[in-house]
Amino acid sequence: MRPPTSSFAFLSLLSAVNGELHQLIVGTFGTEHLYTLEFDDSALTLELIGNLTTNAASSWIALSHDKKNLYGTSFTASSPAFVSYTLGSATDIIYNTTLALGGNCSSSKAIFVAAASKSPYAVYGTPFGASAECGSVMSVDENGVLLEVIQNYTYQSTSGVHGMAMNANNSFIYSADDSANTLWTHSVDSTTGELTYVSSIAGPVAGADPRHVAVHPEGQYLYVILEGANELAQYSIDQATGIPSFKNVTYSLIPSGATSSSYWSDEVALSFSNNYLWATSRARSSNSTGYISAFSLGSDGSIESQLFLNATSSSGGTANSVAPSPFSDQFVALTDSSVGFVQIWQLGNDGASASVVANVDIEDGGCCANAVWYS
């Protein structure tokens, strides 16, 4: 069910844009490249300005807290591993090292990587596939480069964690276990970054399959993409224990009457001001489209209303990942792997719709996975 829709002041977020240039870095699923794009927020143009040949395709990339380093999965490696790059700029990307995941998950592929925003700035990685019960905690050196795996931990034998998110003070990390239909909570050691198991809870229904998660900075709510159920679920977080609980608040990410098995929902992310939440679903058939949706949030992070559910330009492939801009609530990047493109969507003036305002095609056979905003 949905909580009551309350009125919301959209004018505060839609302030004038100053015509600045912003760079994004984009990873791939099947080709060993990193791409850099540049978005003009006044002219509403998007251009490809960098193409770096790498030694690994990265199905997921993440920036360090200071944007001086980029971490990625080594998706095309024979066993799960993670790569580290130094960033002189969005186009000055220098490869540093590759770290093997470790543990007993050699038959799986590295699928997700997350970087802590607070000291000791540990990096967290998980695999997906045949045997994917492992997780790793990686330390970084004084320059933020991946240094070594300091902890291997396990979920359960049926696990396949596809996404993770930390709360604002980095005291807890939440893992979305797509394969085992489970949501995990671990506490984070503030000195080492190592994890300690706190709890695991099953998805709301069989086959719900949590895929990606986001935590509101106020720390009261966790947002969970239920890939199998094609819903966005809101969980309440116990402020003493950090454990989330499901309160039966969900929103559909596909149209009413659509066949759920024809879709698989993907991503959730907070906007620049944290007043909005973006979420997407993908179509399993290339002849159908995925969907993009936005939600208005209260100051405590509670979802007030679903603003719209718009068809995307394609199925999304294995992507349809969203990356809200770090400078305005108006813009969000969306990636597609069925065709190979990156789009910029803009929130409408009334906040009740969104549309594509810029597009770059990168049809290399493996692009595009997720995008991160460098500026």
Side-chain angles (χ1 to χ4, degrees), residues 55 150 233 245:
N55 62 359
I150 59 172
S245 59

Side-chain angles (χ1 to χ4, degrees), residues 171-187:
S171 56
F172 292 98
I173 190 167
Y174 301 95
S175 302
D177 193 339
D178 201 336
S179 298
N181 190 31
T182 300
L183 190 63
W184 298 79
T185 303
H186 288 81
S187 62

Side-chain angles (χ1 to χ4, degrees), residues 188-206:
V188 183
D189 187 292
S190 61
T191 301
T192 65
E194 294 184 7
L195 304 184
T196 299
Y197 169 80
V198 175
S199 76
S200 60
I201 55 175
V205 296

Side-chain angles (χ1 to χ4, degrees), residues 89-285:
S89 69
T91 54
D92 180 15
I93 304 173
I94 301 172
Y95 168 77
N96 297 123
T97 191
T98 299
L99 287 185
L101 171 75
N104 297 313
C105 294
S106 60
S107 61
S108 59
K109 289 182 176 291
I111 197 68
F112 195 85
V113 63
S117 61
K118 298 186 181 300
S119 179
Y121 306 115
V123 178
Y124 303 86
T126 58
F128 197 79
S131 58
E133 69 268 26
C134 309
S136 67
V137 182
M138 295 164 277
S139 63
V140 298
D141 67 16
E142 64 276 11
N143 297 313
V145 176
L146 289 181
L147 183 61
E148 61 180 339
V149 174
I150 59 172
Q151 182 187 19
N152 286 123
Y153 62 96
T154 57
Y155 293 100
Q156 64 187 51
S157 61
T158 56
S159 287
V161 168
H162 213 289
M164 296 181 288
M166 304 184 83
N167 63 348
N169 63 11
N170 288 194
S171 56
F172 292 98
I173 190 167
Y174 301 95
S175 302
D177 193 339
D178 201 336
S179 298
N181 190 31
T182 300
L183 190 63
W184 298 79
T185 303
H186 288 81
S187 62
V188 183
D189 187 292
S190 61
T191 301
T192 65
E194 294 184 7
L195 304 184
T196 299
Y197 169 80
V198 175
S199 76
S200 60
I201 55 175
V205 296
D209 301 340
R211 179 181 175 87
H212 282 160
V213 288
V215 188
H216 192 273
E218 290 297 316
Q220 297 183 51
Y221 294 99
L222 176 72
Y223 316 107
V224 182
I225 289 290
L226 302 177
E227 180 185 62
N230 287 299
E231 292 176 332
L232 170 70
Q234 175 182 282
Y235 284 67
S236 298
I237 299 175
D238 186 290
Q239 297 302 286
T241 65
I243 299 173
S245 59
F246 180 62
K247 303 297 185 181
N248 202 33
V249 178
T250 62
Y251 296 83
S252 180
L253 296 176
I254 57 175
S256 176
T259 302
S260 186
S261 60
S262 297
Y263 298 89
W264 47 332
S265 291
D266 184 55
E267 177 66 318
V268 60
L270 285 154
S271 73
F272 166 66
S273 70
N274 300 307
N275 289 329
Y276 295 89
L277 188 70
W278 293 86
T280 57
S281 60
R282 304 162 293 174
R284 294 186 182 274
S285 169

Side-chain angles (χ1 to χ4, degrees), residues 335-356:
T335 57
D336 163 271
S337 67
S338 66
V339 177
F341 62 70
V342 179
Q343 295 176 336
I344 304 297
W345 286 65
Q346 184 175 21
L347 194 64
N349 289 335
D350 60 356
S353 64
S355 60
V356 179

